Amino acid sequence: MTQTQFTPRVFSGAQPSGNLHLGNYLGALRNWVRMQSDEFETIYCMVDLHAITVWQDPAELRHATRELCAGYIASGLNPEKSILFNQSQVPEHAQLGWVFNCVARMGWMQRMTQWKDKAGKNTQNASLGLFAYPSLMAADILIYHATHVPVGDDQKQHLELTRDIAIKFNNDFGVDFFPITEPVIEGAATRVMSLRDGSKKMSKSDPSDMSRINMTDDADTIAKKIRKAKTDPDALPSEADGLDDRPEARNLVNIYAALSDQSVEQVLSDVGGKQFGDFKPMLADLAVEKLSPISSEMARLMNDQSEIDRILARGAERAREITVPILRQTYEIVGMVGASTR
Ligand code: ATP
Ligand code: MG
């Protein structure tokens, strides 16, 4: 079979499940902005259907979706260049998600570490949606025939599953229809850890607000959270291998490196030998310098919610120009009567 050439197209998304945080920014959003170029068509989604895999208060979900859109734009995504929309308004995501539920195997899903982490001990009480989440995520990507997906390190396994689903669909139906997507996991902070526990990633859904730096935190809050961040008693090393077995120290250095666009080695050659009492205020100043223009822009954008709603509606329309024909072709391949005449 000849290899189909797919248009270079970027898709990614974040959940309106709480506050955007520094991990989302350094691991994902910042790279999304960088990929917004002539080389790619870029499509960025607020994945509200994923958010409801765990309970969300409806009023908070509405607010979080709009605030997430404000966060995307304030970080540098341009709604004229990129397609910005919320997932529920493009029904082909969920429709292709159903087809993929019939392609993905139970065993594949059971191996997903996010499922194990989020469901916890009481898997019997987790929603079916939480279990099926990675199959909907595969649909989010493949309904655009996206070729590149910039994400944080925690999404690597879901992207491998997306590739497995594309391969199995193509094999099962003898087609070369879905692309095998490339994960793009780049930068010095692809996995920002919790400020309270260096073995857990920073998350929107962590119950402790002290565990993360929110994009909407003010300067005092950022400084306080960094001051209280867990560390060890030793001074900073001058070389990267001195961070081995020091997850909290490594995390703060990685954050500093990512925010200052330097390598970890460069940072350590400057700050090696310093105590955390000296390093933490430097990190706090840098974080405030980089985040405060974004948070003030977010607040400004949130003053005009009808403008945000217009951007989302227009984004959904543009997205459907791509998704409607791809879903129709999928249904045709699968053998659904009527798919070719609609
Ligand atoms: P939740 O806890 O509700 O799952 P989250 O903080 O994991 O929220 P998501 O909306 O699931 O955020 O993820 C959005 C993007 O941010 C994804 O690309 C994900 O890989 C990235 N991301 C999330 N947390 C981190 C982190 N700690 N470090 C780097 N990237 C991250
Ligand atoms: Mg997540």
Side-chain angles (χ1 to χ4, degrees):
M1 204 179 335
T2 53
Q3 201 60 40
T4 308
Q5 285 298 312
F6 292 96
T7 315
R9 198 176 269 160
V10 173
F11 175 89
S12 201
Q15 300 184 68
S17 52
N19 291 308
L20 263 181
H21 54 73
L22 186 63
N24 300 137
Y25 179 65
L26 295 177
L29 264 167
R30 207 165 67 146
N31 294 333
W32 302 358
V33 175
R34 289 181 178 156
M35 294 186 88
Q36 190 177 243
S37 67
D38 296 339
E39 205 185 325
F40 294 109
E41 258 183 79
T42 43
I43 304 165
Y44 299 117
C45 185
M46 287 120 254
V47 287
D48 49 9
L49 296 174
H50 286 287
I52 61 165
T53 56
V54 296
W55 164 254
Q56 303 292 332
D57 175 83
E60 281 173 25
L61 179 62
R62 269 189 285 274
H63 176 78
T65 304
R66 292 185 176 120
E67 194 172 72
L68 189 54
C69 183
Y72 284 11
I73 297 170
S75 301
L77 294 180
N78 175 349
E80 297 303 318
K81 278 197 190 144
S82 294
I83 301 180
L84 308 182
F85 66 102
N86 57 319
Q87 187 189 23
S88 58
Q89 301 311 300
V90 179
E92 292 73 26
H93 286 238
Q95 289 177 292
L96 184 62
W98 180 259
V99 175
F100 286 171
N101 284 348
C102 304
V103 173
R105 306 287 93 184
M106 292 291 284
W108 300 1
M109 311 304 277
Q110 263 154 356
R111 281 196 289 276
M112 295 295 115
T113 55
Q114 178 177 291
W115 155 250
K116 290 184 211 165
D117 291 346
K118 287 200 173 176
K121 289 197 182 74
N122 194 1
T123 51
Q124 293 299 304
N125 203 32
S127 75
L128 180 55
L130 187 65
F131 187 68
Y133 177 125
S135 150
L136 177 59
M137 178 166 156
D140 297 335
I141 296 165
L142 294 173
I143 195 68
Y144 297 95
H145 281 181
T147 54
H148 295 76
V149 184
V151 285
D153 181 71
D154 63 300
Q155 292 302 321
K156 202 170 172 179
Q157 197 186 27
H158 288 166
L159 289 182
E160 278 158 17
L161 185 100
T162 300
R163 293 162 71 100
D164 289 342
I165 289 177
I167 292 168
K168 181 159 162 47
F169 182 97
N170 289 347
N171 281 341
D172 285 355
F173 295 99
V175 290
D176 185 20
F177 184 62
F178 288 117
I180 313 305
T181 18
E182 284 301 324
V184 180
I185 302 176
E186 277 174 359
T190 57
R191 190 180 189 86
V192 176
M193 306 310 280
S194 156
L195 299 179
R196 308 302 291 167
D197 176 352
S199 68
K200 264 180 29 190
K201 85 166 189 77
M202 189 178 281
S203 279
K204 290 195 219 87
S205 54
D206 192 314
S208 162
D209 196 58
M210 291 299 284
S211 71
R212 69 182 156 258
I213 292 172
N214 300 307
M215 302 293 285
T216 49
D217 284 343
D218 61 25
D220 288 347
T221 310
I222 292 176
K224 184 176 91 187
K225 287 178 174 175
I226 292 180
R227 196 167 60 240
K228 298 213 164 174
K230 190 177 164 202
T231 44
D232 56 44
D234 297 339
L236 284 160
S238 309
E239 315 258 328
D241 56 11
L243 293 171
D244 290 350
D245 304 320
R246 296 179 66 187
E248 287 86 11
R250 174 192 299 279
N251 188 37
L252 297 187
V253 172
N254 285 350
I255 294 173
Y256 193 96
L259 283 173
S260 61
D261 278 312
Q262 299 181 79
S263 67
V264 167
E265 288 74 16
Q266 279 170 319
V267 172
L268 290 178
S269 72
D270 287 344
V271 303
K274 278 194 197 299
Q275 297 292 334
F276 282 104
D278 297 324
F279 177 65
K280 282 177 165 180
M282 290 171 63
L283 178 59
D285 287 348
L286 179 63
V288 169
E289 180 196 320
K290 299 289 175 179
L291 297 185
S292 65
I294 302 177
S295 67
S296 40
E297 181 61 5
M298 275 173 84
R300 194 188 66 76
L301 292 163
M302 284 299 277
N303 281 330
D304 188 355
Q305 297 200 357
S306 53
E307 175 59 13
I308 291 184
D309 290 0
R310 268 193 297 279
I311 290 170
L312 292 175
R314 172 79 190 114
E317 254 174 51
R318 288 170 65 198
R320 294 198 75 199
E321 287 168 16
I322 305 174
T323 61
V324 168
I326 290 182
L327 184 74
R328 188 180 51 70
Q329 291 170 61
T330 308
Y331 278 178
E332 257 180 57
I333 291 169
V334 172
M336 308 282 177
V337 171
S340 60
T341 52
R342 286 266 171 88

